[in-house]
Amino acid sequence: MTVKVRRQRPRRRVFWALVAVLLADLLALSDTLAVMSVDLGSESMKVAIVKPGVPMEIVLNKESRRKTPVIVTLKENERFFGDSAASMAIKNPKATLRYFQHLLGKQADNPHVALYQARFPEHELTFDPQRQTVHFQISPQLQFSPEEVLGMVLNYSRSLAEDFAEQPIKDAVITVPVFFNQAERRAVLQAARMAGLKVLQLINDNTATALSYGVFRRKDINTTAQNIMFYDMGSGSTVCTIVTYQMVKTKEAGMQPQLQIRGVGFDRTLGGLEMELRLREHLAGLFNEQRKGQRAKDVRENPRAMAKLLREANRLKTVLSANADHMAQIEGLMDDVDFKAKATRVEFEELCADLFERVPGPVQQALQSAEMSLDEIEQVILVGGATRVPKVQEVLLKAVGKEELGKNINADEAAAMGAVYQAAALSKAFKVKPFVVRDAVVYPILVEFTREVEEEPGVHSLKHNKRVLFSRMGPYPQRKVITFNRYSHDFNFHINYGDLGFLGPEDLRVFGSQNLTTVKLKGVGDSFKKYPDYESKGIKAHFNLDESGVLSLDRVESVFETLVEDSPEEESTLTKLGNTISSLFGGGTTPDAKENGTDTVQEEEESPAEGSKDEPGEQVELKEEAEAPVEDGSQPLPPEPKGDAAPEGEKATEKENGDKSEAQKPSEKAEAGPEGVAPAPEGEKKQKPARKQRMVEEIGVELVVLDLPDLPEDKLAQSVQKLQDLTLRDLEKQEREKAANSLEAFIFETQDKLYQPEYQEVSTEEQREEISGKLSAASTWLEDEGVGATTVMLKEKLAELRKLCQGLFFRVEERKKWPERLSALDNLLNHSSMFLKGARLIPEMDQIFTEVEMTTLEKVINETWAWKNATLAEQAKLPATEKPVLLSKDIEAKMMALDREVQYLLNKAKFTKPRPRPKDKNGTRAEPPLNATASDQGEKVILPAGQTEDAEPISEPEKVETGSEPGDTEPLELGGPGAEPEQKEQSTGQKRPLKNDEL
């Protein structure tokens, strides 16, 4: 046994060491469990968080509002965000940036850049020759790109979330408009990198809204498809989305709700901002008419006045949505001239008549992309602030032909709540109920390449080929592989957008470049030279359209294959076992070891590319990987495979590092017998057939970005450092302001205290004059030299003044504490004395305290009384201006010492068991209970006549068992005929209650 115990000790040590490490990791992770979402709108943003104990909550900003304006004011030495920046827009409109998201991912020649310049002429935009984009030129020293400005806003949103969650946050889900293309999405990701955020996903705002709607109506979703239309008109754009909700069967969690984006339509410039700009122009014209003939300047030339008019137009639009008319008024609009004019809803609708005509456009686009009719739409739900305009609802209701429009969703916060639910689902720290999200590709993507073909002997020509990689309205995220079978040397291919015919001419100009990337492959010829005896299976390019809708080329490989014969005698038992296990899980025989850094992969099957119309000799093939189901995104999910289909899909998933192939043909299944796809006949099982061995050679890739070049790593690092320096400067500024405010508040509060009676009582005239002089000097220094003083200097000045006033404040605080502390000490002494007196009155037989314990308590009580009386007498002799000898901390120490002794005795009494009582022959108590009265002790029992004390007692009738307490009178139950009465013994043991002075 001894040996076994010794052997277990190291295991126990290792076990507890592992437990300690796991606990340390959990404690470290507990500080960063929260995740956040940012609903990044054109005009305002909403931030939501999820953390332990807080399921889903909208973050309040510093003004305790749930919505924060997306505005940044950039000055030489300070920055302002949110509502503070909105107020600065009137004072400094040139340095206040808003609606800058419209410039993300756009080159200088984009029509939206010119539109932004026309809307906000106060901003100076400079040209970036490296990326062909624009920058905001605030001053000769201050220049920021739109990505950097967005990074500042994202960093500010994280600070709001961290203050609300009271813990650091790095993981976030950010919403983007569904019409953002690849360049715009990459720009948002770069801005998040500048802010130091880890983006779990860029989720389309319409998808986030649909997810929020489905999550809170999970019980209403069933196997019957429900088609819901969401019409979202925000400040900058309008999006119409058709979503199908349905319960589907998943391999991981069984039947789960799913939302599928079926159709999308949008208008990039239709929104509340354009309505406000129309109103601003109308108000500017009214103001100019009022001042006509006064030789006044045009109000449009004054940026501050136009900023005031835009703010008033925003308020006017909101008021006219609920009222027929309203008075617009601005004090001191320009040249100290007030503006006042009446505006009506009719005038507003006339100003925006052409905008209201564009309201049905996104609805028709969504229906066309979904290939559905309005009869299939069950409900139309309004989202976005601009949908509150009555004319928008009127036109939309007429366009959709419904009885009413749905308003059963929070139009402002739905996207933020859906995005934060997705953030919790993607985070490893939370477990949420599954909700399948199938987003749709808005812009199709294809691969183009040119190959030399020989049409006639000796006649060569170039043939241009196109393969649709991701079709319009197809689901994502998904991975796909395209195989080039006719190349044995280095070549190039191009990744471009597909057919964008659904966009109008103006939208195409705003869209930008339709060419994404040129891919140059290097090393194809070398790979063929390296494996001359192998058969080429083509050049495979692996593409990934991730959760954020961003396309990437993961890798390009050159794959070769050959037949290898293995004799059964050469295989070991372990090899056979490995082959058997591999075949059970869909793999082939064990591949050879890696040679020269190449990988060996299993046999895979490819399907022809989507939309391929080449002649039968064309060998370029396209296939999807395991992450993407092979189906059209505009159709509902197909039923789950039955029978042998599921194992067959698993085998295809195992091949080619998890790639998923199309369904194999029967002839292909027969050829793939050695690969474990189809069972071989019994005759073939006896002989060991030749197996296929595949070798993979990595191909060098050079990417040439054609739409919008990303920031180089060095430039990105500079932007990150620039934003970090600005954040550090803001923190230092806040710290300095806090130190200056503390110093100023201390000066004013102390000067006021010097005239209060309680402070004058404990100080002399000379002491107060000295303190007052120091305070006045500090106040003068703060007004003159303190403007340029550093944070350290301000803190040192405050520490000097506090040290000067420390004695005065100490004497006042001690006198405030005396009454309460002395009263508590007196109560404790009185109760302790009563407790000691009661303890000494306990009879010797029942005594639980020793003489030493009671003597110790008595000593502490006497010493405390003596200390109190002596200290009070000594304090009475001292003047109030001297340091007191009666200190509150000493009183508390005496109370703690006395209370410790009393608590010790109380705990002993609580856990001590009572001593057993000696009993006489009759089983009665030898002594009466302590709480028995004199009458009880002197009570005698009068016996019936003719009965002596030695006679047996008379039998009592049988008692009924009840739940009454001992000592209570119990009811009697007479026995039936012939029943003999029996006497029921009464329990003589009773619990002795404590006396009034016992604890």
Side-chain angles (χ1 to χ4, degrees):
M1 292 296 293
T2 305
V3 176
K4 291 183 179 179
V5 172
R6 287 178 180 175
R7 288 180 179 176
Q8 291 177 357
R9 283 178 182 173
R11 297 179 182 177
R12 292 178 179 176
R13 293 172 184 170
V14 173
F15 171 76
W16 288 114
L18 291 175
V19 171
V21 171
L22 290 175
L23 288 176
D25 292 342
L26 289 176
L27 291 175
L29 290 173
S30 62
D31 295 335
T32 58
L33 289 180
V35 293
M36 62 179 288
S37 70
V38 183
D39 178 21
L40 199 61
S42 298
E43 184 179 44
S44 60
M45 67 178 178
K46 278 74 64 180
V47 183
I49 65 164
V50 171
K51 73 170 188 176
V54 179
M56 294 167 62
E57 183 63 33
I58 295 293
V59 172
L60 303 181
N61 59 16
K62 296 179 180 179
E63 290 77 18
S64 298
R65 297 180 181 177
R66 302 169 71 88
K67 184 166 59 174
T68 304
V70 183
I71 306 178
V72 184
T73 300
L74 301 171
K75 301 175 71 175
E76 292 292 340
N77 299 319
E78 55 187 347
R79 295 184 302 174
F80 299 95
F81 297 94
D83 294 292
S84 301
S87 62
M88 292 293 296
I90 308 300
K91 302 176 183 178
N92 195 346
K94 181 179 180 180
T96 303
L97 308 179
R98 60 175 73 185
Y99 300 104
F100 48 83
Q101 305 96 308
H102 298 172
L103 302 179
L104 289 172
K106 295 179 177 62
Q107 296 183 341
D109 58 351
N110 194 292
H112 262 202
V113 176
L115 178 62
Y116 186 89
Q117 192 73 66
R119 288 175 169 178
F120 307 100
E122 63 272 12
H123 296 318
E124 181 182 352
L125 300 180
T126 59
F127 178 70
D128 179 14
Q130 183 178 6
R131 302 179 62 217
Q132 307 294 315
T133 57
V134 294
H135 286 83
F136 290 102
Q137 191 73 37
I138 309 299
S139 68
Q141 294 77 24
L142 290 181
Q143 177 178 298
F144 299 97
S145 65
E147 291 86 354
E148 290 174 340
V149 180
L150 179 58
M152 299 179 195
V153 173
L154 292 177
N155 190 35
Y156 177 70
S157 68
R158 181 177 64 174
S159 67
L160 294 178
E162 290 179 343
D163 293 342
F164 192 83
E166 299 178 346
Q167 59 177 285
I169 300 177
K170 286 191 176 181
D171 297 343
V173 169
I174 304 174
T175 68
V176 294
V178 66
F179 51 77
F180 264 23
N181 55 28
Q182 294 293 311
E184 293 167 312
R185 291 174 187 272
R186 294 199 308 267
V188 176
L189 291 177
Q190 286 186 336
R193 285 187 61 186
M194 296 176 187
L197 281 176
K198 178 185 176 183
V199 179
L200 300 176
Q201 180 182 349
L202 292 182
I203 186 171
N204 295 330
D205 48 13
N206 61 336
T207 305
T209 302
L211 179 59
S212 175
Y213 180 86
V215 165
F216 291 104
R217 292 162 180 81
R218 180 183 292 264
K219 296 181 179 180
D220 299 335
I221 303 175
N222 49 43
T223 54
T224 303
Q226 305 175 31
N227 300 320
I228 306 295
M229 176 181 288
F230 294 92
Y231 192 87
D232 181 4
M233 180 180 288
S235 176
S237 60
T238 300
V239 176
C240 181
T241 310
I242 299 176
V243 183
T244 298
Y245 294 94
Q246 189 176 8
M247 295 293 292
V248 297
K249 186 177 181 181
T250 61
K251 294 182 180 179
E252 296 81 7
M255 297 296 293
Q256 295 298 335
Q258 171 191 272
L259 71 86
Q260 181 178 359
I261 305 298
R262 300 291 301 277
V264 175
F266 57 85
D267 191 327
R268 280 180 175 260
T269 58
L270 177 61
L273 173 62
E274 186 63 30
M275 300 178 190
E276 295 169 12
L277 293 173
R278 301 279 181 95
L279 270 177
R280 183 183 71 170
E281 186 67 20
H282 175 67
L283 296 178
L286 293 178
F287 182 74
N288 287 335
E289 288 182 3
Q290 293 178 2
R291 303 188 67 195
K292 190 174 182 180
Q294 302 179 10
R295 297 181 180 180
K297 294 182 180 179
D298 189 350
V299 70
R300 299 179 181 88
E301 300 177 359
N302 190 318
R304 292 187 178 181
M306 293 301 287
K308 293 179 182 179
L309 286 173
L310 183 60
R311 183 177 63 180
E312 182 63 15
N314 180 283
R315 188 186 70 86
L316 194 61
K317 182 196 71 173
T318 304
V319 175
L320 289 179
S321 297
N323 300 275
D325 54 59
H326 187 67
M327 189 67 66
Q329 48 187 354
I330 304 174
E331 296 182 3
L333 176 58
M334 189 175 70
D335 299 335
D336 296 331
V337 177
D338 298 339
F339 170 66
K340 189 174 184 180
K342 183 179 180 180
T344 64
R345 183 188 294 178
V346 176
E347 293 176 347
F348 170 64
E349 293 177 353
E350 291 177 356
L351 291 172
C352 304
D354 60 324
L355 299 181
F356 296 137
E357 293 176 358
R358 291 158 56 184
V359 168
V363 176
Q364 300 302 324
Q365 294 179 22
L367 292 172
Q368 291 176 4
S369 61
E371 299 180 354
M372 300 174 65
S373 63
L374 282 172
D375 297 335
E376 300 177 64
I377 306 299
E378 297 185 9
Q379 190 178 12
V380 179
I381 298 178
L382 297 179
V383 187
T387 56
R388 298 186 177 98
V389 176
K391 189 64 175 180
V392 172
Q393 298 182 13
E394 177 186 340
V395 175
L396 180 61
L397 186 62
K398 183 178 179 181
V400 298
K402 302 294 181 181
E403 295 182 358
E404 60 179 357
L405 299 174
K407 302 176 183 178
N408 52 350
I409 192 173
N410 191 322
D412 292 326
E413 301 176 0
M417 298 299 283
V420 80
Y421 186 89
Q422 185 71 358
L426 295 175
S427 174
K428 298 179 181 179
F430 302 95
K431 185 177 181 181
V432 300
K433 293 183 178 179
F435 203 111
V436 183
V437 178
R438 289 172 56 83
D439 214 328
V441 178
V442 177
Y443 306 119
I445 299 175
L446 53 80
V447 172
E448 299 185 29
F449 56 96
T450 303
R451 193 183 69 251
E452 184 178 294
V453 296
E454 185 177 358
E455 297 179 353
E456 298 178 3
V459 179
H460 297 272
S461 63
L462 296 178
K463 182 178 180 181
H464 190 71
N465 299 275
K466 293 184 180 181
R467 296 292 175 271
V468 177
L469 197 60
F470 299 99
S471 60
R472 172 166 163 80
M473 302 314 297
Y476 79 90
Q478 62 175 323
R479 299 174 182 268
K480 286 193 176 181
V481 179
I482 185 170
T483 304
F484 304 92
N485 287 330
R486 294 289 185 89
Y487 290 95
S488 59
H489 57 277
D490 296 352
F491 65 98
N492 303 337
F493 63 88
H494 310 278
I495 306 172
N496 302 323
Y497 288 106
D499 182 15
L500 299 180
F502 58 92
L503 296 179
E506 183 64 26
D507 289 333
L508 281 176
R509 287 193 293 269
V510 174
F511 186 84
S513 174
Q514 299 185 30
N515 300 320
L516 286 171
T517 308
T518 295
V519 181
K520 299 180 179 180
L521 302 183
K522 297 180 180 180
V524 176
D526 296 339
S527 65
F528 277 82
K529 295 177 182 179
K530 189 172 182 179
Y531 301 100
D533 299 332
Y534 283 64
E535 179 186 359
S536 173
K537 287 298 181 179
I539 311 300
K540 299 182 182 295
H542 297 255
F543 296 92
N544 178 25
L545 191 64
D546 61 13
E547 294 84 354
S548 301
V550 178
L551 177 66
S552 62
L553 177 61
D554 288 345
R555 65 189 185 277
V556 179
E557 301 169 337
S558 182
V559 181
F560 299 90
E561 185 178 281
T562 187
L563 293 177
V564 179
E565 294 184 1
D566 292 333
S567 59
E569 292 78 8
E570 295 177 355
E571 292 188 357
S572 63
T573 304
L574 292 178
T575 304
K576 295 179 180 179
L577 181 61
N579 292 341
T580 304
I581 296 177
S582 178
S583 64
L584 290 177
F585 289 94
T589 57
T590 304
D592 293 342
K594 295 183 180 180
E595 297 179 2
N596 301 326
T598 60
D599 298 331
T600 58
V601 296
Q602 299 299 326
E603 175 75 17
E604 67 177 355
E605 302 293 337
E606 293 87 2
S607 62
E610 182 179 353
S612 176
K613 297 181 180 179
D614 290 325
E615 63 276 3
E618 181 59 48
Q619 295 296 323
V620 178
E621 297 172 336
L622 177 72
K623 79 178 203 63
E624 296 183 1
E625 295 193 9
E627 288 79 353
V630 184
E631 58 185 347
D632 187 6
S634 63
Q635 299 297 329
L637 279 177
E640 288 293 315
K642 299 180 181 179
D644 298 333
E648 189 174 295
E650 294 174 2
K651 296 171 186 177
T653 302
E654 286 292 322
K655 300 176 182 180
E656 182 68 328
N657 295 329
D659 295 343
K660 180 177 179 180
S661 64
E662 296 279 354
Q664 296 177 339
K665 299 179 180 179
S667 60
E668 294 173 341
K669 292 184 180 180
E671 294 175 1
E675 300 297 319
V677 176
E682 296 182 0
E684 294 183 6
K685 289 184 180 179
K686 296 179 180 178
Q687 289 185 345
K688 183 71 176 182
R691 64 181 178 86
K692 294 180 181 180
Q693 175 180 310
R694 304 185 70 184
M695 309 299 292
V696 175
E697 182 76 13
E698 195 79 16
I699 301 299
V701 176
E702 179 185 351
L703 301 178
V704 180
V705 180
L706 302 177
D707 56 347
L708 182 67
D710 293 338
L711 275 175
E713 287 299 324
D714 56 341
K715 295 292 185 182
L716 183 61
Q718 292 178 7
S719 297
V720 171
Q721 188 62 43
K722 183 194 296 187
L723 266 60
Q724 290 178 352
D725 294 341
L726 291 175
T727 302
L728 183 61
R729 188 192 68 181
D730 292 345
L731 294 176
E732 292 176 351
K733 182 191 172 199
Q734 294 175 6
E735 189 69 19
R736 187 196 174 282
E737 291 178 351
K738 183 178 179 181
N741 292 337
S742 300
L743 177 59
E744 186 178 10
F746 182 83
I747 292 173
F748 288 124
E749 290 176 1
T750 307
Q751 286 177 339
D752 181 65
K753 289 177 181 178
L754 292 178
Y755 295 96
Q756 296 178 7
E758 55 185 358
Y759 287 87
Q760 292 182 348
E761 181 183 355
V762 297
S763 61
T764 62
E765 186 68 26
E766 293 78 9
Q767 292 174 341
R768 291 195 295 273
E769 289 179 357
E770 179 185 4
I771 295 175
S772 179
K774 294 285 186 180
L775 293 174
S776 300
S779 179
T780 304
W781 175 86
L782 184 60
E783 294 176 357
D784 298 337
E785 303 176 12
V787 177
T790 62
T791 305
V792 176
M793 295 171 62
L794 293 171
K795 290 183 177 180
E796 289 177 351
K797 181 66 70 173
L798 179 59
E800 178 184 348
L801 294 178
R802 283 179 173 171
K803 184 177 181 181
L804 176 66
C805 304
Q806 182 178 2
L808 174 62
F809 293 162
F810 178 75
R811 294 192 293 271
V812 173
E813 290 299 321
E814 286 297 321
R815 289 181 173 271
K816 288 181 179 179
K817 295 178 181 178
W818 282 350
E820 181 182 355
R821 298 292 191 277
L822 290 175
S823 176
L825 180 61
D826 290 339
N827 290 335
L828 183 59
L829 286 170
N830 292 333
H831 286 87
S832 301
S833 300
M834 293 176 60
F835 174 77
L836 180 62
K837 182 179 179 182
R840 292 190 178 279
L841 292 177
I842 298 176
E844 182 178 356
M845 180 175 296
D846 296 328
Q847 184 60 262
I848 59 176
F849 306 123
T850 63
E851 185 63 27
V852 175
E853 293 170 344
M854 291 186 289
T855 303
T856 302
L857 176 59
E858 184 178 9
K859 180 180 178 182
V860 174
I861 293 175
N862 295 334
E863 290 178 351
T864 306
W865 276 113
W867 173 85
K868 175 193 170 187
N869 296 330
T871 307
L872 286 176
E874 185 178 356
Q875 180 62 43
K877 299 177 183 179
L878 289 177
T881 57
E882 297 293 334
K883 181 179 179 179
V885 295
L886 179 61
L887 304 179
S888 59
K889 64 177 184 179
D890 294 340
I891 300 175
E892 293 173 357
K894 293 293 182 181
M895 293 175 61
M896 290 179 62
L898 180 56
D899 185 67
R900 183 168 56 249
E901 294 296 332
V902 176
Q903 289 296 332
Y904 170 76
L905 298 181
L906 287 175
N907 291 333
K908 184 177 180 180
K910 181 178 180 181
F911 296 103
T912 302
K913 296 181 179 179
R915 298 177 182 178
R917 293 286 184 178
K919 297 183 179 180
D920 56 6
K921 296 180 180 180
N922 295 331
T924 58
R925 292 170 60 100
E927 294 182 1
L930 294 176
N931 60 347
T933 59
S935 60
D936 294 333
Q937 297 182 19
E939 184 179 359
K940 295 182 180 180
V941 179
I942 303 176
L943 300 176
Q947 183 176 352
T948 62
E949 293 183 0
D950 297 336
E952 296 182 358
I954 301 175
S955 300
E956 296 180 358
E958 184 178 357
K959 298 180 180 180
V960 179
E961 295 289 338
T962 64
S964 58
E965 296 293 335
D968 295 344
T969 304
E970 298 181 354
L972 300 179
E973 181 182 5
L974 298 179
E980 297 182 0
E982 296 180 358
Q983 182 180 7
K984 186 174 182 180
E985 295 183 2
Q986 296 182 0
S987 175
T988 57
Q990 294 182 353
K991 186 176 180 181
R992 179 178 63 85
L994 296 176
K995 293 184 178 180
N996 294 334
D997 57 349
E998 289 183 341
L999 297 177

